[in-house]
């Protein structure tokens, strides 16, 4: 019997050959100066094209949106040309790939920002987390609050990146609105202390999210735009005093857009499945992509029960390029090498073996 997890699914305008998604995974192997991906990325993503959908690693929309060394961008012609090799190669294997549009906000460091400037956020604050700099792990620098007058420029940076994504041949975009980065710094009340139209009420805190979505929809059809949320995650030291109160109206409003999918981090990335995400899941009427801590059995069961349409796997996809084939066959998985997650070259990136060598 073919489990539903392995059957085709249409997420908005995206026709997927199965419901197993490669989750976005930061690997820090892009050119630090230019933000370009390399031929190694072509190999890495092509090896994983058995996924129904690949969500690229977080990819910054602008120099200001960068928070870690060696992460790729999608805002220059050279970055577009480099990504084009990846998308062409994935498509040649019958895969689909969307780019994750990322602005880190305050999770950055002056040594990574253009001209050594302070990172930007909803409010003046310093995130309690670590970023990776040229000198190793470091606390983020103090961020300044974006001026009201600057917000249209930030939205325009997302629109520009979305246009670049189209030129690079992606099948769509995923807006990274999770894990303590810029959009979440506006959404959650632990980081948003603004007193203007972008702070205070949930409607105001969600204004940037919806401004950005409206901007993306000037470039892409809604059926090619997904959104990633992590309502309950304390990632990067973020907090909200009442996640259900914040995210209930957000999800209700997202329902009206006809988006390709909602990608929900159910709990904390790489950590516990905390929070009442089931309540939020029931509010969502579109394609639902569940993420966090799934294994073969739980993924098969959740999709079979119609509680999720797609399951995004992160770490299993790092160590198993042919994850879908292995899950189908109930074959053993390779172990993950924790020392080669971030930075370096092909070791731990493109050298994990497939069951059947390509
Ligand atoms: C791990 C290391 C650096 C960044 C996220 C983009 O949590 C990330 C990330 C994860 O969404």
């Amino acid at each position: 019997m073919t489990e539903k997890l392995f059957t085709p699914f249409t997420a908005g305008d995206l026709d997927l050959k199965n419901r197993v998604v490669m989750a976005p995974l930061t690997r820090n192997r892009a050119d630090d100066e230019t933000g370009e991906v390399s031929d190694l990325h072509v190999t890495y993503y092509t090896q994983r094209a058995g996924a129904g959908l690949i969500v690229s690693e977080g990819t910054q929309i602008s120099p200001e949106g960068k928070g870690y060394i060696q992460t790729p961008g999608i805002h220059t012609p050279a970055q577009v040309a480099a990504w084009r090799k990846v998308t062409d190669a994935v498509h040649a294997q019958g895969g689909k790939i969307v780019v994750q549009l990322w602005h880190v906000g305050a999770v950055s460091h002056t040594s990574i920002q253009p001209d050594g400037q302070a990172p930007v956020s909803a409010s003046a604050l310093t995130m309690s987390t670590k970023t990776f700099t040229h000198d190793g792990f470091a606390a983020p620098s103090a961020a300044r609050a974006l001026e009201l007058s600057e917000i249209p420029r930030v939205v325009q940076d997302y629109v520009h990146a979305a246009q670049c994504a189209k030129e690079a041949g992606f099948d769509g975009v995923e807006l990274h609105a999770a894990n303590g980065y810029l959009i979440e710094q506006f959404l959650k009340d632990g980081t948003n202390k603004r007193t203007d139209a972008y702070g205070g009420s949930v409607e105001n805190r969600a204004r940037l999210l919806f401004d950005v979505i409206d901007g993306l929809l000037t470039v892409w059809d809604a059926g090619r735009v997904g959104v990633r949320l992590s309502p309950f995650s304390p990632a990067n030291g973020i907090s909200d005093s009442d996640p259900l109160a914040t995210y209930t109206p957000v999800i209700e409003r997202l329902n009206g857009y006809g988006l390709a999918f909602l990608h929900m981090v159910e709990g904390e990335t790489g950590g516990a499945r905390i929070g009442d995400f089931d309540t939020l899941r029931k509010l969502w009427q579109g394609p639902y992509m569940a993420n966090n801590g799934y294994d073969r059995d739980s993924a098969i069961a959740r999709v079979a029960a119609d509680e999720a349409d797609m399951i995004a796997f992160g770490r299993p996809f790092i160590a198993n390029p042919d994850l879908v084939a292995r899950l189908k066959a109930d074959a053993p998985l390779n172990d993950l090498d924790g020392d080669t997650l971030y930075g370096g070259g092909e070791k731990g990136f493109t050298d994990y073996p497939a069951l059947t060598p390509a």
Side-chain angles (χ1 to χ4, degrees):
M1 155 192 174
T2 302
E3 304 287 359
K4 194 170 172 188
L5 180 66
F6 306 115
T7 64
F9 179 67
T10 300
D13 297 345
L14 304 171
D15 290 323
L16 311 183
K17 62 190 170 192
N18 62 61
R19 297 151 182 272
V20 178
V21 175
M22 179 180 171
L25 294 157
T26 289
R27 306 300 310 276
N28 306 82
R29 282 159 166 93
D31 186 294
D32 191 55
E33 287 294 314
T34 66
E36 289 168 45
V37 291
S38 68
D39 291 347
L40 217 46
H41 293 80
V42 176
T43 302
Y44 168 74
Y45 284 111
T46 306
Q47 288 171 338
R48 287 158 180 78
L53 180 66
I54 295 170
V55 182
S56 83
E57 62 204 279
T59 300
Q60 55 261 359
I61 61 158
S62 62
E64 175 193 87
K66 182 177 179 184
Y68 305 77
I69 58 168
Q70 294 167 339
T71 54
I74 183 76
H75 54 85
T76 73
Q79 292 164 0
V80 168
W83 275 119
R84 181 94 218 182
K85 293 190 193 171
V86 172
T87 62
D88 282 347
V90 168
H91 291 152
Q93 294 295 315
K96 293 269 159 78
I97 180 167
V98 298
V99 65
Q100 195 195 45
L101 299 179
W102 190 25
H103 187 311
V104 298
V107 186
S108 189
H109 192 270
T110 53
S111 65
I112 291 166
Q113 286 288 304
D115 305 320
Q117 69 195 16
V120 300
S121 185
S123 302
L125 54 84
T126 305
M127 301 293 282
S128 298
T129 186
K130 289 275 191 278
T131 179
F132 330 132
T133 70
H134 293 282
D135 298 322
F137 284 100
S141 304
R144 70 175 179 87
L146 279 165
E147 300 286 345
L148 187 59
S149 61
E150 291 176 280
I151 291 180
R153 190 269 303 159
V154 174
V155 173
Q156 191 50 43
D157 288 344
Y158 277 97
V159 173
H160 172 68
Q163 188 66 52
C164 289
K166 212 168 212 187
E167 290 164 21
F170 284 101
D171 295 291
V173 297
E174 174 179 283
L175 176 61
H176 194 346
N179 290 355
Y181 300 108
L182 181 71
I183 293 186
E184 217 183 60
Q185 291 158 26
F186 275 77
L187 270 173
K188 290 187 173 175
D189 62 11
T191 36
N192 187 336
K193 307 296 178 191
R194 299 180 75 94
T195 54
D196 60 14
Y198 289 81
S201 65
V202 174
E203 189 187 355
N204 283 356
R205 284 184 276 127
R207 193 174 303 281
L208 178 64
L209 169 68
F210 287 101
D211 284 358
V212 170
I213 292 173
D214 288 342
L216 299 180
L217 296 184
T218 65
V219 179
W220 288 95
D221 290 337
R224 292 182 179 274
V225 175
V227 175
R228 191 175 214 224
L229 300 177
S230 59
F232 303 99
S233 178
N236 285 311
I238 206 153
S239 65
D240 190 81
S241 60
D242 191 349
L244 282 183
T246 297
Y247 283 86
T248 294
V250 166
I251 291 171
E252 285 173 342
R253 192 164 158 203
L254 284 172
N255 277 328
Y257 283 80
L259 296 176
F261 57 84
L262 173 62
H263 184 179
M264 183 78 89
V265 181
E266 297 176 337
E268 179 181 9
T269 294
R273 291 174 55 80
I274 46 170
D276 187 6
F277 47 80
D278 276 330
T279 294
L280 294 177
R281 191 272 162 274
K282 290 190 184 102
L283 297 173
W284 172 245
Q285 294 161 1
Y288 182 78
M289 184 188 295
N291 169 250
N292 206 30
Y294 281 89
D295 62 12
R296 182 178 191 276
D297 288 348
S298 56
I300 285 174
R302 196 101 197 274
V303 171
D306 285 328
E307 290 166 0
D309 299 300
M310 298 160 277
I311 306 289
F313 291 85
R315 283 169 298 180
F317 250 120
I318 292 178
N320 298 278
D322 55 345
L323 182 65
V324 177
R326 287 177 192 251
L327 294 176
K328 263 190 198 163
D330 201 8
L333 301 185
N334 297 323
D335 289 333
L336 182 74
D337 172 13
D339 294 336
T340 50
L341 289 178
Y342 307 118
E346 59 179 274
K347 189 168 183 300
F349 193 48
T350 53
D351 64 353
Y352 284 106
L355 284 176
T356 315

